[in-house]
Coordinates of all heavy atoms in Angstrom, one line a residue:
E92 N 56.5 -34.9 -18.1 CA 57.2 -35.8 -19.0 C 58.3 -35.1 -19.8 O 59.3 -35.7 -20.0 CB 56.2 -36.5 -19.9 CG 56.8 -37.4 -21.0 CD 57.4 -38.6 -20.4 OE1 56.9 -39.1 -19.3 OE2 58.4 -39.1 -21.0
S93 N 58.1 -33.9 -20.1 CA 59.1 -33.2 -21.0 C 59.2 -31.7 -20.6 O 58.2 -31.0 -20.6 CB 58.7 -33.3 -22.5 OG 59.7 -32.7 -23.3
V94 N 60.4 -31.3 -20.2 CA 60.6 -30.0 -19.8 C 61.9 -29.5 -20.5 O 62.9 -30.2 -20.5 CB 60.8 -29.9 -18.2 CG1 61.4 -28.5 -17.9 CG2 59.5 -30.1 -17.5
R95 N 61.9 -28.3 -21.1 CA 63.1 -27.7 -21.7 C 63.5 -26.6 -20.8 O 62.8 -25.6 -20.6 CB 62.8 -27.3 -23.1 CG 64.0 -26.6 -23.8 CD 63.8 -26.4 -25.2 NE 63.7 -27.6 -26.0 CZ 64.8 -28.3 -26.4 NH1 66.0 -27.9 -26.1 NH2 64.7 -29.4 -27.1
A96 N 64.7 -26.7 -20.3 CA 65.3 -25.6 -19.5 C 66.5 -25.0 -20.3 O 67.6 -25.6 -20.3 CB 65.8 -26.1 -18.2
G97 N 66.3 -23.9 -21.0 CA 67.4 -23.4 -21.9 C 67.5 -24.4 -23.0 O 66.6 -24.7 -23.7
F98 N 68.8 -25.0 -23.1 CA 69.0 -26.0 -24.1 C 69.0 -27.4 -23.5 O 69.4 -28.4 -24.2 CB 70.4 -25.7 -24.8 CG 71.5 -25.7 -23.9 CD1 72.2 -26.9 -23.5 CD2 72.0 -24.5 -23.4 CE1 73.2 -26.8 -22.6 CE2 73.1 -24.4 -22.6 CZ 73.7 -25.6 -22.2
V99 N 68.6 -27.5 -22.3 CA 68.6 -28.8 -21.6 C 67.2 -29.4 -21.6 O 66.3 -28.7 -21.1 CB 69.2 -28.7 -20.2 CG1 69.2 -30.0 -19.5 CG2 70.6 -28.1 -20.2
Q100 N 67.1 -30.6 -22.0 CA 65.8 -31.3 -22.0 C 65.8 -32.4 -20.9 O 66.8 -33.0 -20.6 CB 65.6 -32.0 -23.4 CG 64.2 -32.6 -23.6 CD 63.2 -31.5 -24.0 OE1 63.6 -30.4 -24.4 NE2 61.9 -31.8 -23.8
G101 N 64.6 -32.6 -20.3 CA 64.5 -33.6 -19.3 C 63.1 -33.8 -18.7 O 62.2 -33.2 -19.3
K102 N 63.0 -34.6 -17.7 CA 61.8 -34.8 -17.0 C 61.9 -34.1 -15.6 O 62.9 -33.9 -15.1 CB 61.5 -36.3 -16.8 CG 61.4 -37.0 -18.2 CD 61.2 -38.5 -17.9 CE 61.2 -39.3 -19.3 NZ 60.9 -40.7 -19.1
M103 N 60.7 -33.8 -15.0 CA 60.7 -33.2 -13.7 C 59.6 -33.7 -12.9 O 58.5 -34.0 -13.3 CB 60.5 -31.6 -13.9 CG 60.6 -30.8 -12.7 SD 60.4 -29.0 -13.0 CE 61.9 -28.7 -13.9
V104 N 60.0 -33.9 -11.6 CA 59.0 -34.3 -10.6 C 59.0 -33.3 -9.5 O 60.1 -33.0 -8.9 CB 59.3 -35.7 -10.0 CG1 58.3 -36.1 -9.0 CG2 59.4 -36.7 -11.1
L105 N 57.8 -32.7 -9.2 CA 57.7 -31.7 -8.1 C 56.9 -32.3 -7.0 O 56.0 -33.1 -7.1 CB 57.0 -30.4 -8.7 CG 57.6 -29.8 -9.9 CD1 56.8 -30.3 -11.2 CD2 57.7 -28.3 -9.8
T106 N 57.2 -31.8 -5.8 CA 56.5 -32.2 -4.6 C 55.8 -31.0 -3.9 O 56.4 -29.9 -3.9 CB 57.4 -32.9 -3.6 OG1 58.5 -32.0 -3.2 CG2 58.0 -34.2 -4.1
G107 N 54.6 -31.3 -3.4 CA 53.9 -30.2 -2.8 C 53.9 -30.5 -1.3 O 53.9 -31.6 -0.8
A108 N 53.9 -29.4 -0.5 CA 53.9 -29.5 1.0 C 52.4 -29.5 1.5 O 51.7 -28.5 1.3 CB 54.7 -28.3 1.6
A109 N 52.0 -30.6 2.0 CA 50.6 -30.7 2.6 C 50.7 -31.5 3.9 O 51.5 -32.3 4.1 CB 49.8 -31.4 1.5
D110 N 49.7 -31.2 4.7 CA 49.6 -31.9 6.0 C 49.1 -33.3 5.8 O 48.4 -33.6 4.8 CB 48.7 -31.2 7.0 CG 47.3 -31.1 6.5 OD1 46.5 -32.0 6.8 OD2 47.0 -30.1 5.8
P111 N 49.5 -34.3 6.6 CA 49.2 -35.7 6.4 C 47.7 -35.9 6.4 O 47.2 -36.8 5.6 CB 49.8 -36.4 7.7 CG 50.9 -35.5 8.1 CD 50.4 -34.1 7.8
D112 N 46.9 -35.2 7.1 CA 45.4 -35.4 7.1 C 44.8 -35.1 5.8 O 43.9 -35.8 5.3 CB 44.8 -34.5 8.2 CG 45.1 -35.0 9.6 OD1 45.5 -36.2 9.8 OD2 45.0 -34.2 10.6
T113 N 45.3 -34.0 5.1 CA 44.8 -33.6 3.8 C 45.2 -34.7 2.8 O 44.3 -35.1 2.0 CB 45.4 -32.3 3.4 OG1 45.0 -31.3 4.3 CG2 44.9 -31.9 2.0
L114 N 46.4 -35.2 2.9 CA 46.8 -36.2 1.9 C 46.0 -37.5 2.1 O 45.7 -38.2 1.2 CB 48.3 -36.5 2.1 CG 49.3 -35.3 1.7 CD1 50.7 -35.7 2.0 CD2 49.0 -34.9 0.3
Q115 N 45.7 -37.8 3.4 CA 44.9 -39.0 3.7 C 43.5 -38.9 3.1 O 43.0 -39.9 2.5 CB 44.9 -39.3 5.2 CG 44.1 -40.5 5.6 CD 44.7 -41.8 5.1 OE1 45.9 -42.0 5.3 NE2 43.9 -42.7 4.6
T116 N 42.9 -37.8 3.2 CA 41.6 -37.5 2.7 C 41.6 -37.7 1.1 O 40.7 -38.3 0.6 CB 41.1 -36.1 3.0 OG1 41.0 -36.0 4.5 CG2 39.7 -35.9 2.5
W117 N 42.6 -37.1 0.5 CA 42.8 -37.2 -0.9 C 43.0 -38.7 -1.4 O 42.5 -39.1 -2.4 CB 43.9 -36.3 -1.5 CG 43.6 -34.9 -1.4 CD1 42.4 -34.3 -1.0 CD2 44.5 -33.8 -1.5 NE1 42.6 -32.9 -1.0 CE2 43.8 -32.6 -1.3 CE3 45.9 -33.8 -1.9 CZ2 44.5 -31.4 -1.4 CZ3 46.5 -32.5 -2.0 CH2 45.8 -31.3 -1.8
A118 N 43.7 -39.4 -0.6 CA 44.0 -40.8 -0.9 C 42.7 -41.6 -0.8 O 42.5 -42.5 -1.7 CB 45.0 -41.4 0.1
E119 N 41.8 -41.3 0.1 CA 40.6 -42.0 0.2 C 39.7 -41.8 -1.0 O 38.8 -42.6 -1.3 CB 39.9 -41.7 1.5 CG 40.6 -42.2 2.7 CD 40.1 -41.6 4.0 OE1 39.1 -40.8 3.9 OE2 40.6 -41.9 5.1
R120 N 39.9 -40.6 -1.7 CA 39.1 -40.3 -2.8 C 39.8 -40.6 -4.1 O 39.2 -40.3 -5.2 CB 38.7 -38.8 -2.8 CG 37.7 -38.4 -1.7 CD 37.0 -37.1 -2.1 NE 38.0 -36.0 -2.0 CZ 38.0 -35.1 -0.9 NH1 37.2 -35.3 0.1 NH2 38.9 -34.1 -0.9
A121 N 40.9 -41.2 -4.1 CA 41.7 -41.5 -5.3 C 40.9 -42.4 -6.2 O 40.2 -43.3 -5.8 CB 43.0 -42.1 -4.9
T122 N 41.1 -42.1 -7.5 CA 40.3 -42.8 -8.5 C 41.0 -44.1 -9.1 O 40.4 -44.9 -9.7 CB 40.0 -41.9 -9.7 OG1 41.3 -41.4 -10.3 CG2 39.2 -40.7 -9.3
H123 N 42.3 -44.2 -8.8 CA 43.1 -45.3 -9.3 C 44.3 -45.6 -8.5 O 45.0 -44.6 -8.0 CB 43.5 -45.1 -10.8 CG 44.3 -46.2 -11.4 ND1 43.7 -47.4 -11.7 CD2 45.6 -46.3 -11.8 CE1 44.6 -48.2 -12.3 NE2 45.7 -47.6 -12.3
R124 N 44.7 -46.8 -8.2 CA 45.8 -47.2 -7.5 C 46.7 -48.2 -8.3 O 46.2 -49.2 -8.8 CB 45.4 -47.8 -6.1 CG 44.8 -46.9 -5.1 CD 44.1 -47.6 -4.0 NE 43.7 -46.7 -2.9 CZ 42.5 -46.0 -3.0 NH1 41.7 -46.2 -4.0 NH2 42.2 -45.2 -2.0
E125 N 48.0 -47.9 -8.3 CA 48.9 -48.7 -9.2 C 50.2 -49.0 -8.4 O 50.8 -48.1 -8.0 CB 49.2 -48.0 -10.5 CG 50.1 -48.7 -11.4 CD 50.3 -47.9 -12.7 OE1 49.8 -46.8 -12.8 OE2 51.1 -48.4 -13.5
P126 N 50.5 -50.3 -8.3 CA 51.8 -50.6 -7.6 C 53.0 -50.2 -8.5 O 52.9 -50.3 -9.7 CB 51.7 -52.1 -7.4 CG 50.8 -52.6 -8.5 CD 49.8 -51.5 -8.7
Q127 N 54.1 -49.8 -7.8 CA 55.3 -49.4 -8.5 C 56.4 -50.4 -8.2 O 56.4 -51.1 -7.2 CB 55.7 -48.0 -8.0 CG 54.7 -46.9 -8.2 CD 54.3 -46.7 -9.7 OE1 55.2 -46.4 -10.5 NE2 53.0 -46.9 -10.0
P128 N 57.4 -50.5 -9.2 CA 58.5 -51.5 -9.0 C 59.3 -51.3 -7.7 O 59.8 -52.2 -7.1 CB 59.4 -51.2 -10.2 CG 58.5 -50.6 -11.2 CD 57.5 -49.8 -10.4
S129 N 59.3 -50.0 -7.2 CA 60.0 -49.7 -6.0 C 59.3 -50.2 -4.7 O 59.9 -50.1 -3.6 CB 60.2 -48.2 -5.9 OG 59.0 -47.5 -5.8
G130 N 58.1 -50.7 -4.8 CA 57.3 -51.1 -3.7 C 56.3 -50.1 -3.2 O 55.6 -50.4 -2.2
T131 N 56.3 -48.9 -3.8 CA 55.4 -47.9 -3.4 C 54.1 -48.0 -4.2 O 54.0 -48.9 -5.1 CB 56.0 -46.5 -3.7 OG1 56.3 -46.3 -5.1 CG2 57.3 -46.3 -2.9
W132 N 53.1 -47.2 -3.9 CA 51.9 -47.2 -4.7 C 51.6 -45.8 -5.2 O 51.9 -44.8 -4.5 CB 50.7 -47.6 -3.8 CG 50.6 -49.1 -3.5 CD1 51.4 -49.8 -2.7 CD2 49.8 -50.1 -4.2 NE1 51.1 -51.2 -2.7 CE2 50.1 -51.3 -3.7 CE3 48.8 -50.0 -5.2 CZ2 49.5 -52.5 -4.1 CZ3 48.2 -51.1 -5.6 CH2 48.5 -52.4 -5.1
R133 N 51.1 -45.7 -6.4 CA 50.8 -44.5 -7.1 C 49.3 -44.3 -7.1 O 48.6 -45.2 -7.7 CB 51.4 -44.4 -8.4 CG 51.1 -43.1 -9.2 CD 51.8 -43.1 -10.6 NE 51.5 -42.0 -11.4 CZ 52.2 -40.8 -11.4 NH1 53.2 -40.7 -10.6 NH2 51.8 -39.8 -12.1
L134 N 48.7 -43.3 -6.6 CA 47.3 -43.1 -6.5 C 47.0 -41.8 -7.3 O 47.6 -40.8 -7.1 CB 46.8 -42.9 -5.1 CG 46.8 -44.1 -4.1 CD1 48.2 -44.5 -3.8 CD2 46.0 -43.7 -2.9
T135 N 46.0 -42.0 -8.2 CA 45.5 -40.8 -9.0 C 44.6 -40.0 -8.3 O 43.5 -40.5 -7.8 CB 44.9 -41.3 -10.3 OG1 45.8 -42.2 -11.0 CG2 44.5 -40.2 -11.2
L136 N 44.8 -38.7 -8.2 CA 43.9 -37.8 -7.5 C 42.6 -37.7 -8.2 O 42.4 -37.7 -9.4 CB 44.5 -36.4 -7.5 CG 45.6 -36.0 -6.4 CD1 46.0 -34.6 -6.5 CD2 45.1 -36.4 -5.0
A137 N 41.5 -37.5 -7.3 CA 40.2 -37.3 -7.9 C 40.2 -35.9 -8.5 O 40.8 -35.0 -8.0 CB 39.2 -37.4 -6.7
P138 N 39.4 -35.7 -9.5 CA 39.4 -34.4 -10.2 C 39.0 -33.2 -9.3 O 39.6 -32.1 -9.4 CB 38.3 -34.6 -11.3 CG 38.3 -36.0 -11.6 CD 38.6 -36.7 -10.2
Q139 N 38.2 -33.4 -8.3 CA 37.8 -32.3 -7.4 C 38.9 -31.9 -6.5 O 38.8 -30.8 -5.8 CB 36.5 -32.7 -6.6 CG 36.8 -33.9 -5.6 CD 36.3 -35.2 -6.1 OE1 36.5 -35.4 -7.3 NE2 35.8 -36.0 -5.3
D140 N 40.0 -32.6 -6.4 CA 41.1 -32.3 -5.5 C 42.2 -31.6 -6.3 O 43.2 -31.2 -5.7 CB 41.6 -33.5 -4.8 CG 40.6 -34.1 -3.9 OD1 39.8 -33.3 -3.3 OD2 40.5 -35.4 -3.7
H141 N 42.1 -31.5 -7.6 CA 43.2 -30.9 -8.4 C 43.6 -29.5 -8.0 O 44.7 -29.1 -7.9 CB 42.9 -31.1 -9.9 CG 43.2 -32.4 -10.4 ND1 43.5 -32.7 -11.7 CD2 43.2 -33.6 -9.8 CE1 43.6 -34.0 -11.9 NE2 43.5 -34.6 -10.8
A142 N 42.5 -28.7 -7.9 CA 42.7 -27.2 -7.7 C 43.4 -27.0 -6.3 O 44.4 -26.2 -6.2 CB 41.4 -26.5 -7.7
A143 N 43.0 -27.7 -5.3 CA 43.6 -27.6 -4.0 C 45.0 -28.1 -4.0 O 45.9 -27.5 -3.3 CB 42.8 -28.4 -2.9
A144 N 45.3 -29.2 -4.8 CA 46.7 -29.7 -4.9 C 47.6 -28.7 -5.5 O 48.7 -28.5 -5.1 CB 46.7 -31.0 -5.6
L145 N 47.1 -28.0 -6.6 CA 48.0 -27.1 -7.3 C 48.2 -25.8 -6.5 O 49.2 -25.1 -6.7 CB 47.3 -26.7 -8.6 CG 47.3 -27.7 -9.7 CD1 46.5 -27.3 -10.9 CD2 48.7 -28.2 -10.1
A146 N 47.4 -25.6 -5.5 CA 47.6 -24.4 -4.6 C 48.6 -24.7 -3.5 O 49.0 -23.7 -2.7 CB 46.3 -24.0 -4.0
L147 N 49.1 -25.9 -3.4 CA 50.0 -26.2 -2.3 C 51.4 -25.6 -2.6 O 51.8 -25.4 -3.7 CB 50.2 -27.7 -2.2 CG 49.1 -28.6 -1.7 CD1 49.4 -30.0 -1.8 CD2 48.7 -28.2 -0.3
P148 N 52.1 -25.3 -1.5 CA 53.5 -24.7 -1.7 C 54.4 -25.7 -2.4 O 54.3 -26.9 -2.2 CB 54.0 -24.5 -0.2 CG 52.7 -24.4 0.6 CD 51.7 -25.3 -0.1
L149 N 55.3 -25.2 -3.2 CA 56.3 -26.0 -3.9 C 57.4 -26.4 -2.9 O 58.2 -25.5 -2.5 CB 56.8 -25.3 -5.1 CG 57.9 -26.0 -5.9 CD1 57.4 -27.3 -6.4 CD2 58.3 -25.1 -7.1
A150 N 57.5 -27.6 -2.5 CA 58.4 -28.0 -1.4 C 59.8 -28.4 -2.0 O 60.8 -28.3 -1.4 CB 57.9 -29.2 -0.7
G151 N 59.8 -28.9 -3.3 CA 61.1 -29.3 -3.9 C 60.8 -29.9 -5.2 O 59.7 -30.1 -5.6
L152 N 61.9 -30.1 -6.0 CA 61.7 -30.7 -7.3 C 62.9 -31.6 -7.6 O 64.0 -31.4 -7.1 CB 61.5 -29.7 -8.4 CG 62.6 -28.7 -8.7 CD1 63.6 -29.2 -9.7 CD2 62.1 -27.4 -9.1
V153 N 62.7 -32.5 -8.5 CA 63.8 -33.4 -9.0 C 63.8 -33.2 -10.5 O 62.7 -33.3 -11.2 CB 63.5 -34.9 -8.7 CG1 64.6 -35.8 -9.3 CG2 63.5 -35.1 -7.2
F154 N 65.0 -33.0 -11.1 CA 65.1 -32.9 -12.5 C 65.9 -34.0 -13.0 O 67.0 -34.3 -12.5 CB 65.8 -31.5 -12.9 CG 65.9 -31.3 -14.4 CD1 64.8 -31.1 -15.2 CD2 67.2 -31.3 -15.0 CE1 64.9 -30.9 -16.5 CE2 67.3 -31.0 -16.3 CZ 66.2 -30.9 -17.1
L155 N 65.4 -34.7 -14.1 CA 66.1 -35.9 -14.7 C 66.5 -35.5 -16.1 O 65.7 -35.6 -17.0 CB 65.1 -37.0 -14.7 CG 64.5 -37.4 -13.3 CD1 63.3 -38.4 -13.5 CD2 65.5 -37.9 -12.3
P156 N 67.7 -35.0 -16.3 CA 68.1 -34.6 -17.6 C 68.2 -35.8 -18.6 O 68.4 -37.0 -18.2 CB 69.5 -34.1 -17.4 CG 70.0 -34.7 -16.1 CD 68.8 -34.9 -15.3

Side-chain angles (χ1 to χ4, degrees):
E92 175 66 29
S93 180
V94 169
R95 179 171 291 279
F98 58 83
V99 182
Q100 189 79 21
K102 301 177 182 181
M103 186 177 290
V104 181
L105 306 100
T106 56
D110 63 86
D112 290 340
T113 298
L114 295 179
Q115 181 63 46
T116 300
W117 290 351
E119 294 169 0
R120 290 199 290 258
T122 59
H123 181 69
R124 292 169 171 80
E125 181 180 359
Q127 303 298 301
S129 62
T131 62
W132 284 78
R133 181 181 175 87
L134 289 69
T135 303
L136 278 184
Q139 64 264 36
D140 296 324
H141 281 205
L145 290 176
L147 290 176
L149 178 56
L152 67 88
V153 176
F154 183 65
L155 308 168

